[in-house]
Amino acid sequence: SVDYDALDALVEFYIASGVNGLFVLGTHGQGMVLENDERKKVAERVVRKAAHRLPVVIHVGTANTVSSIELAKHAAGLGVDAIGLVEPYYYPHNDFEIYAHYRRVAEAIPGVPLFIYDNPETTQLHLSAPKVLKLLETVPNICGIKVSFSTFDELMQYVRKMPKTLGVFPGGILSLYQGYSLGVRGAIHPP
């Protein structure tokens, strides 16, 4: 079960440490193993504790679009700065299904920035730079991408091919050190 006192302390620790934002309920935040009601409570708690002192991105990815929409609407209602969303996992999906997933979630939260999440290690899917460019044609509120388990060269493909308005964030701090001067915006490093 969630230790809410520890969660409060963790939020305060990161704020005091000077991080520039929180990416909540992703892979290392254990989002995928929590029930939707638990994820909503965690989101509420983090948003309340952060109290607009730094940006908060709530990850709402699930194995199905309907649950992701439910979580996205809830997070948007909390006034988060962006929604994080990984493509559906477990079953293989074709490009059409992935695009439809992102589009349907984005349509459910109009105007809310969407932070997509390429995590081939856990989804068995790869949201390559060309696929992201195609996705941008129908999902205009994408503001950034978290790129996990990629080589540095793959990370640079996103930086080179994406519009400058789309932030590229590796899932580890080491790629930030190498890539910052080349256009990487920051890192979403696991705790």
Side-chain angles (χ1 to χ4, degrees), residues 58-150:
I58 300 291
H59 179 259
V60 300
T62 69
N64 71 82
T65 303
V66 173
S67 294
S68 293
I69 288 171
E70 175 188 339
L71 292 169
K73 286 180 175 180
H74 177 263
L78 297 174
V80 297
D81 296 281
I83 302 294
L85 181 63
V86 73
E87 54 271 12
Y89 42 86
Y90 191 76
Y91 293 105
H93 296 281
N94 63 38
D95 291 350
F96 174 81
E97 293 165 330
I98 293 169
Y99 298 151
H101 171 73
Y102 279 112
R103 189 177 60 253
R104 287 193 56 214
V105 174
E107 289 169 352
I109 52 165
V112 177
L114 185 62
F115 206 96
I116 60 178
Y117 189 179
D118 181 47
N119 192 335
E121 184 88 1
T122 59
T123 64
Q124 305 306 308
L125 301 165
H126 176 47
L127 197 58
S128 66
K131 288 180 183 180
V132 173
L133 288 171
K134 179 76 173 164
L135 186 58
L136 286 169
E137 293 174 11
T138 58
V139 184
N141 53 332
I142 296 174
C143 66
I145 182 168
K146 178 182 178 190
V147 182
S148 296
F149 303 105
S150 295

Side-chain angles (χ1 to χ4, degrees), residues 121-188:
E121 184 88 1
T122 59
T123 64
Q124 305 306 308
L125 301 165
H126 176 47
L127 197 58
S128 66
K131 288 180 183 180
V132 173
L133 288 171
K134 179 76 173 164
L135 186 58
L136 286 169
E137 293 174 11
T138 58
V139 184
N141 53 332
I142 296 174
C143 66
I145 182 168
K146 178 182 178 190
V147 182
S148 296
F149 303 105
S150 295
T151 66
F152 185 74
D153 289 339
E154 289 171 328
L155 179 66
M156 287 297 99
Q157 288 298 314
Y158 291 99
V159 172
R160 289 185 195 106
K161 293 181 179 182
M162 295 300 109
K164 298 302 178 210
T165 56
L166 190 135
V168 176
F169 295 78
I173 198 81
L174 296 178
S175 294
L176 172 63
Y177 294 144
Q178 295 174 304
Y180 189 75
S181 65
L182 301 172
V184 171
R185 297 272 186 89
I188 300 172

